[in-house]
């Protein structure tokens, strides 16, 4: 059991050492080692990591699984390995219960990869399934908006947008993803007036965030002791 985790630790480290190379073999091998480690550990302890976040907790945060998986998906996306991306996301989603945590990142990545392959109906169905079960999740709502845009289902995409924001609303940390999706929607529809308005609201939010960060930075200048 420990050997599988050590294999993943070694291979995942090698991925970063050789990052940028065209050969993805080590990344694929590391993912296979990770899946094997989880499955083998569960074969001896059925209660191991029923939820995704528990992988990190129950391995004492030794392997950086969360960050590594996101980096793996980034590498797949950059290389347009959309089919492999779908395979990885589907495997990860299938490994966990997702009762305490939502597979938002994996649904988003898988949906985007499906759309990139022209499988827009599958992308919409995937996002609709998860959004239906978790309507409070704005990342899942944003994923559904993008999927419907890619499928040219502009009316359906706009229906989702209008459930979460209106033209008069301010953009917040909670609604930022919806605003970004809405900007793309209205640009795709050719409604430049609404797109411009949504973009202006988003930019105002971004400026406010930047201002708050600068104020925080100025409050703790370099050289000060904490």
């Amino acid at each position: 059991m420990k050997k599988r985790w050590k294999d993943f630790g070694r291979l995942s480290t090698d991925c970063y050492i050789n990052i940028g190379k065209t050969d993805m073999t080590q990344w694929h091998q590391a993912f296979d080692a990770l899946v094997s480690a989880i499955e083998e550990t569960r074969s001896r302890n059925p209660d191991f990591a029923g939820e995704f976040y528990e992988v990190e907790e129950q391995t004492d945060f030794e392997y950086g699984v969360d960050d590594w998986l996101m980096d793996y998906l980034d590498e797949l996306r950059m290389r347009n390995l959309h089919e492999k991306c779908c395979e990885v996301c589907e495997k990860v989603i299938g490994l966990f219960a997702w009762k305490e945590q939502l597979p938002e990142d994996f649904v988003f990545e898988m949906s985007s990869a499906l759309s990139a392959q022209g499988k827009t109906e599958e992308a919409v169905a995937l996002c609709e399934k998860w959004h239906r079960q978790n309507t409070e999740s704005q990342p899942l709502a944003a994923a559904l908006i993008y999927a419907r845009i890619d499928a040219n289902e502009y009316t359906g995409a706009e229906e989702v947008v209008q459930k979460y924001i209106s033209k008069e609303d301010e953009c917040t940390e909670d609604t930022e993803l919806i605003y970004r999706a809405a900007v793309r929607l209205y640009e795709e529809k050719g409604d430049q007036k609404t797109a411009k308005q949504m973009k202006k609201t988003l930019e105002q939010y971004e400026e406010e965030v930047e201002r708050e960060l600068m104020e925080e930075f100025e409050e703790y200048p370099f050289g000060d002791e904490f």
Side-chain angles (χ1 to χ4, degrees), residues 158-175:
E158 190 167 19
E159 286 174 356
V160 180
V161 168
Q162 292 173 347
K163 287 180 181 178
Y164 294 90
I165 61 174
S166 68
K167 297 176 184 178
E168 294 76 27
D169 290 343
E170 292 184 357
C171 180
T172 67
E173 181 180 0
D174 291 332
T175 59

Side-chain angles (χ1 to χ4, degrees), residues 5-66:
W5 286 106
K6 287 181 179 179
D7 286 344
F8 170 69
R10 173 179 54 80
L11 287 164
S12 60
T13 299
D14 289 345
C15 290
Y16 292 115
I17 292 172
N18 298 306
I19 199 165
K21 293 186 177 180
T22 56
D23 187 5
M24 288 286 291
T25 301
Q26 285 179 325
W27 290 87
H28 303 327
Q29 289 176 341
F31 180 71
D32 290 342
L34 173 61
V35 172
S36 294
I38 293 170
E39 291 178 338
E40 185 173 319
T41 306
R42 278 197 191 141
S43 70
R44 303 187 184 191
N45 176 14
D47 294 328
F48 175 77
E51 295 289 336
F52 177 64
Y53 74 88
E54 291 178 326
V55 176
E56 289 277 62
E57 290 185 354
Q58 294 178 16
T59 56
D60 296 323
F61 300 92
E62 184 176 352
Y63 301 103
V65 172
D66 293 19

Side-chain angles (χ1 to χ4, degrees), residues 76-77 80-83 85-86 108-121 123 146-147 150-151 184:
L76 293 174
R77 188 191 325 111
N80 296 319
L81 297 174
H82 305 304
E83 188 174 347
C85 182
C86 288
F108 195 98
E109 292 289 348
M110 185 173 178
S111 170
S112 299
L114 286 168
S115 293
Q117 297 175 81
K119 299 177 180 180
T120 54
E121 291 184 4
Y146 284 118
D150 289 335
R184 183 181 164 197

Side-chain angles (χ1 to χ4, degrees), residues 191-206:
D191 184 349
Q192 296 304 323
K193 180 180 178 181
T194 304
K196 185 176 179 181
Q197 185 176 349
M198 292 285 185
K199 188 178 292 185
K200 182 179 179 181
T201 303
L202 180 59
E203 289 171 350
Q204 289 172 340
Y205 165 74
E206 291 173 336

